[in-house]
Amino acid sequence: MEIYAADTIEKYNRYFGFETRHPLVGIVHFDDSVEQPTHCMHFGFYSLFLKKTTGCKINYGKTSYDFDDETVVSFAPGQTVGIHRFEDGPAPEAVGLLFHPDFLLRTPLAQKIKQYTYFSYASSEALHLSTEERFILQDYMDKIARELQHPIDKFSKSLIISNIEVMLNYCMRFYERQFVTREELNHNVIGKFEQLLDEYLDSGRGASEGTPTVKYFADKICLSSNYFGDLVKQQTGKTAQEYIQLKMINYAKSSLLNPTLTTKQIAELLGFQHSQHFIRFFKRQTGNTPREYRLQLSDSPISNKNMMLN
């Protein structure tokens, strides 16, 4: 399927026949009056869609997912998304917020936009809303739409930016609620993550595949890296990267108890190409080099007692 490059909001509106009231921000409404063919589109701006009905399937990356009603899904500049209409199905109904990165220039939101990590979630990780939550988001969509109908003045941009930011913050709150309400499912994800990480380290896979990464485990669990990272942070209080590094340090400490393993061999098992990189990593995490750590172990009373028993 040919990819349509919607690098501007005007091009996006032209594709669907929407009016462009502002070149850098817009509110769009999809219903049965709008032609919505199956298509593949490359986004050049941020977009957030409040879906009201079923009727289409979203293809994000390599996997397709049903996009249910009463959900929110969002996309960031640079993402390519395929929309597939169900045959003989109803026309999807949705309202969407579109805003170009240039609209955020010289505003505090430009510095904060990366904090809204759900723009890089997969469509399977859509935000599922309660009725009250949907009304809240719809209200801010309506406020932005009304402001776009108003003649532009010195207050226009700040008012629109403010409403966008509040809306994005509400989505953050609702995602936090979703993480909590899916706690049992999330615990299963954390358990699977820990199992995969232990297997990765215990098998010495790092020697062939490198140091373990967040993306590796997110892919194994079929989640986007951002969603996976946010879930791990919410469940453990640590970032996914911090969690991986803690496991690596524990593995390294355990390996250093084995006198037959050299520092270079341990570094290779963990995926470090150069032992010096491992030494710096270990010292940054523990305050000691691997050699210093081994010397401390050999000087400890417990270690000496074990040596005597042996």
Side-chain angles (χ1 to χ4, degrees):
M1 186 186 306
E2 184 177 351
I3 299 175
Y4 180 79
D7 51 345
T8 67
I9 290 174
E10 183 178 5
K11 285 186 177 181
Y12 182 91
N13 288 342
R14 190 187 311 148
Y15 184 88
F16 292 104
F18 295 127
E19 178 187 6
T20 300
R21 300 194 64 86
H22 193 293
L24 298 178
V25 64
I27 297 289
V28 294
H29 295 268
F30 289 96
D31 54 28
D32 56 8
S33 68
V34 178
E35 186 175 354
Q36 303 179 54
T38 291
H39 62 279
C40 190
M41 185 170 289
H42 182 82
F43 284 79
F45 46 84
Y46 293 97
S47 58
L48 188 150
F49 296 93
L50 172 56
K51 186 82 161 51
K52 298 181 180 179
T53 61
T54 57
C56 69
K57 182 175 289 187
I58 290 181
N59 184 51
Y60 181 90
K62 298 180 179 179
T63 311
S64 296
Y65 305 91
D66 290 334
F67 183 19
D68 299 326
D69 56 346
E70 304 297 340
T71 56
V72 169
V73 68
S74 49
F75 307 107
Q79 295 179 343
T80 301
V81 180
I83 306 294
H84 301 267
R85 284 287 305 275
F86 294 145
E87 289 187 14
D88 302 321
E93 293 186 28
V95 56
L97 164 67
L98 320 172
F99 59 99
H100 197 278
D102 289 351
F103 188 66
L104 308 182
L105 294 177
R106 295 182 295 279
T107 71
L109 185 55
Q111 306 301 318
K112 297 171 58 178
I113 193 65
K114 296 298 183 182
Q115 298 177 15
Y116 302 104
T117 50
Y118 50 79
F119 277 108
S120 294
Y121 287 177
S123 57
S124 60
E125 301 150 353
L127 173 59
H128 297 263
L129 302 173
S130 68
T131 301
E132 181 182 1
E133 290 168 348
R134 182 176 65 80
F135 284 150
I136 289 173
L137 297 186
Q138 182 67 64
D139 180 50
Y140 281 95
M141 292 270 199
D142 293 341
K143 288 177 180 178
I144 295 169
R146 286 195 297 271
E147 190 57 40
L148 289 171
Q149 296 287 338
H150 192 280
I152 295 178
D153 58 28
K154 65 180 181 179
F155 299 104
S156 299
K157 181 173 181 176
S158 61
L159 286 170
I160 294 172
I161 288 287
S162 296
N163 281 294
I164 290 175
E165 185 169 0
V166 173
M167 186 176 174
L168 298 183
N169 285 334
Y170 269 115
C171 286
M172 288 284 280
R173 169 184 282 181
F174 299 157
Y175 260 115
E176 285 293 320
R177 182 269 307 155
Q178 184 162 291
F179 284 139
V180 172
T181 56
R182 295 184 174 187
E183 188 167 357
E184 183 176 348
L185 178 63
N186 295 341
H187 277 310
N188 291 337
V189 170
I190 299 301
K192 182 65 174 177
F193 171 39
E194 186 158 358
Q195 176 188 348
L196 288 169
L197 181 52
D198 286 340
E199 290 174 356
Y200 193 100
L201 296 173
D202 292 340
S203 66
R205 194 172 300 158
S208 59
E209 299 190 32
T211 55
T213 65
V214 174
K215 185 179 185 307
Y216 174 87
F217 297 106
D219 288 346
K220 288 290 185 182
I221 301 174
C222 299
L223 296 174
S224 66
S225 295
N226 276 357
Y227 187 92
F228 175 69
D230 290 346
L231 189 154
V232 172
K233 177 72 172 179
Q234 195 273 338
Q235 290 288 308
T236 69
K238 298 182 182 297
T239 67
Q241 186 62 40
E242 289 171 342
Y243 197 90
I244 290 172
Q245 290 176 347
L246 179 62
K247 283 280 190 177
M248 290 174 66
I249 286 298
N250 289 338
Y251 177 87
K253 287 180 176 179
S254 177
S255 299
L256 287 168
L257 290 172
N258 184 346
T260 65
L261 287 176
T262 66
T263 297
K264 182 179 179 181
Q265 289 173 323
I266 296 171
E268 290 175 348
L269 290 172
L270 285 170
F272 291 94
Q273 291 186 346
H274 305 286
S275 57
Q276 200 62 34
H277 294 167
F278 166 62
I279 293 170
R280 284 199 295 267
F281 166 75
F282 191 88
K283 185 168 185 178
R284 186 168 62 248
Q285 298 292 325
T286 67
N288 297 295
T289 65
R291 182 174 181 276
E292 291 168 343
Y293 183 78
R294 265 183 163 154
L295 288 173
Q296 288 179 0
L297 290 175
S298 63
D299 291 339
S300 69
I302 295 178
S303 177
N304 290 332
K305 181 180 179 181
N306 289 336
M307 291 177 65
M308 292 175 64
L309 290 174
N310 291 332

